[in-house]
Every structure is written in C-alpha cells, then in structure tokens.
Amino acid sequence: MTTSRVTTPFHSHATTHEVIDGVDLSGRRAVVTGGASGIGVETVLALAGAGAEVTVAVRDTAAAEALRADWAGKSARGEIPVEEVDLADLRSVEAFGKRWDGPLDILVANAGVMAIPTRQVTEEGWELQLATNFLGHFALATQLHANLAASGSARLVVVSSGAHRTAPFDFEDPQFEKRPYDRWAAYGQSKTADVLLAVGARRWAGDGITANALNPGWISTNLQRHVDDETMRAMGAIDANGEIIRTSYYKTPEEGAATSVLLAASPLVEGVTGRYFEDNQEAGVVTDADERPGGVAAHAVDPEAADRLWDLASAALR
C-alpha cells in the first residue's frame, strides 16, 4: 500500500476528461449514487465514456430516466441502467444490494443532502443528513462488500465536503436529541462521518478494496436547494441579483467531479486507501485551530473514531 502523500499532475480546475484521459474501463462495473444531477452526472458520463458499465442509483428514477437518451449517446457502452435506492431507507438499500448480481469494481457514494432547515429523523431514529450522507452509503457498501471483494481490485469513493472541518462526530449526541439542532453542524458532522467511512474501510484492504474520501470543492448544484438566497449571499456565493459569483475557487460540475473520477479510475491512486483528496491531490492534515482553507481535519482521519463509528453504524443495520 502507498504510504507517502499522493500528488498528481492535475490542477484544481482539471476536468473529468483530463483525469480519465487514456484510462480504459472496459469490463469494469460501477455504481454511482445520486448520478442524475450535479457532479454525479459528470461522474457517470466520465466513467461510462471510458468504457465502464455504469448503473445510476437514485431516489428519483424519473429524473434519471429523462437523461438516459443523452447518456447513451455519450457512453462507450450505450445504455446506462437506472436503479432505485433511497439512502434514508435501509430497506431500500438492502433491496438494491440483493438485486445486484456479480462483481462490482467501483462504488461512488456521491448522493447527499445539505442544510435541511429542521431536524428530521428516519425510522431508525437517525438524523436525516447523517442517515442519507453517511449511514445509507455505509449500508450500501457493506451490503455490496462481497461483490466488491469479488472484483479483486475494487474502489469505494466517498464524496465528503470541506464542511467536515466544522464539526467532529459527536458520539454522545449524533442525532441532536439533546443539543439544539443546527443544520450546518448536522451537515458538517455527516461529512466528517463520510471521511471516517473511508478510513474505517481500511479493514477491507485484504479483500482488494480501497476506499478514499474527497472534497469536490465549491460548485453550484441542486445540493444547495435547502439554502435560501440570503444565506447564499452571506456565504459570498451569489450577488444581489441572485447570480453566481465566480470566484477563483468556484468550479463547474465537471471540474467538481474530477476528483471523484480520479479516485474511481486513475492508475495514479492504485493501492491508495483511507485518504482524503481535494483539487485532485491528497490533502494534508490540519488541526481544528488552523484557519487556512482546505486540508482534512485530524478528527476526520482518526482511526479510533473511524472504528467506533463503524461499530455504531453496524449496530444500526442489525
């Protein structure tokens, strides 16, 4: 396994086409959750364009079906199947896993929700952002573990966010039952959990499965649907007229998807596992007191926290 910090020749605004150029994924099978919008679409198109057999796993199959004709025209294999999976419903996740037959080479845990205004919980009592962004993907990965292992060289790619730096995982009150609900703290915690998922999956290295998390960067997508214009203006994301402010760090969806595609397909990260990437490079570890942008928080790559969260999530699936 690679132990030194990984660097690549790709810059922060490289596109999916650049990072996957020359990569042949013929014969490889992939699942991309949330593949019908935002960076998910670009991830699907890049992998399919390189020859992979890609399945789009989404809650809203109608939205995905509307894109299938366009996808087929850009896929090296033509047709791209669509399957239903609701990550906030563990029965739906289990059903998807049982339907999957044969090896799985790439699982991109891309779907997510952000900044839900009020506290909502699933049937299992999990706060909805944590349930969707983390637990549903944890359940999907564990449900498909045997299929990933059958590949012999499978990759799990977990889309996190720079927001993970704002909130360590609160093992004492992860569901906001005691502390006041804060939509941004809940989102940040869920994204810390996503990084910890990749770290915890180091236990699968012996099965030929690698897992890495990433920050796609700042992209305007449907992920912001719960964020009002006033908040977006305060964040410096839009101007007084509601137009996107294209700062130097702003990315297009294709640029935002590049790191996902790099981790899913590039030979440059073969054998790398349990890491966190941003701007197509492995990020350095930073402390909670560090105010510089970027980097991965020490609390998100703590192996003891990762194992503790793995046990907590496993108990929820029983």
Side-chain angles (χ1 to χ4, degrees):
M1 293 291 176
T2 300
T3 56
S4 59
R5 188 166 162 186
V6 179
T7 60
T8 80
F10 304 113
H11 56 81
S12 62
H13 284 67
T15 66
T16 56
H17 288 83
E18 290 175 84
V19 301
I20 206 170
D21 184 43
V23 176
D24 183 3
L25 296 179
S26 299
R28 307 285 282 178
R29 305 174 74 201
V31 169
V32 179
T33 67
S37 65
I39 64 173
V41 170
E42 299 299 336
T43 302
V44 168
L45 291 177
L47 298 179
E53 177 189 328
V54 183
T55 296
V56 177
V58 291
R59 181 175 59 84
D60 183 2
T61 56
E65 290 291 349
L67 298 171
R68 287 184 71 183
D70 179 60
W71 287 341
K74 298 176 181 177
S75 167
R77 298 176 55 89
E79 193 72 12
I80 294 181
V82 173
E83 290 279 349
E84 181 179 2
V85 63
D86 182 350
L87 292 165
D89 182 347
L90 294 182
R91 290 171 298 185
S92 175
V93 174
E94 182 180 13
F96 177 92
K98 288 182 176 178
R99 291 195 304 271
W100 187 268
D101 183 39
L104 175 61
D105 303 288
I106 301 165
L107 174 58
V108 183
N110 168 82
V113 293
M114 181 176 77
I116 297 174
T118 59
R119 180 179 180 268
Q120 300 179 42
V121 296
T122 64
E123 286 188 13
E124 293 76 27
W126 279 59
E127 187 275 318
L128 188 56
Q129 293 188 76
L130 185 60
T132 303
N133 298 345
F134 165 70
L135 183 63
H137 283 126
F138 175 86
L140 184 62
T142 53
Q143 181 79 24
L144 294 170
H145 172 258
N147 307 90
L148 292 164
S151 162
S153 59
R155 299 187 184 188
L156 169 61
V157 179
V158 187
V159 179
S160 180
S161 164
H164 84 272
R165 286 188 55 180
T166 66
F169 194 88
D170 188 337
F171 286 98
E172 301 307 313
D173 188 23
Q175 315 307 340
F176 290 84
E177 296 170 305
K178 303 171 186 174
R179 52 184 169 146
Y181 174 76
D182 179 278
R183 60 180 177 171
W184 292 111
Y187 179 66
Q189 175 182 248
S190 75
K191 289 303 174 177
T192 285
D194 281 338
V195 185
L196 291 172
L197 169 57
V199 175
R202 69 191 184 285
R203 68 194 62 206
W204 290 349
D207 298 318
I209 302 168
T210 58
N212 294 285
L214 69 113
N215 170 21
W218 178 259
I219 312 107
S220 179
T221 69
N222 194 42
L223 183 65
Q224 289 93 28
R225 62 187 179 277
H226 294 296
V227 185
D228 59 86
D229 285 356
E230 182 180 352
T231 302
M232 291 287 280
R233 290 190 187 95
M235 294 168 62
I238 62 175
D239 61 23
N241 298 317
E243 299 295 325
I244 293 292
I245 298 174
R246 297 181 181 274
T247 60
S248 60
Y249 53 82
Y250 178 86
K251 296 184 181 184
T252 66
E254 188 188 358
E255 292 168 346
T259 308
S260 293
V261 173
L262 175 86
L263 294 176
S266 176
L268 296 175
V269 293
E270 183 175 356
V272 175
T273 194
R275 314 290 185 87
Y276 174 92
F277 287 72
E278 59 189 3
D279 294 337
N280 301 304
Q281 313 292 333
E282 183 183 352
V285 178
V286 295
T287 66
D288 292 344
D290 195 329
E291 296 182 355
R292 292 175 298 174
V296 59
H299 65 244
V301 288
D302 178 1
E304 291 186 6
D307 291 342
R308 187 177 178 186
L309 180 57
W310 195 282
D311 291 342
L312 179 67
S314 296
L317 303 187
R318 297 190 188 111

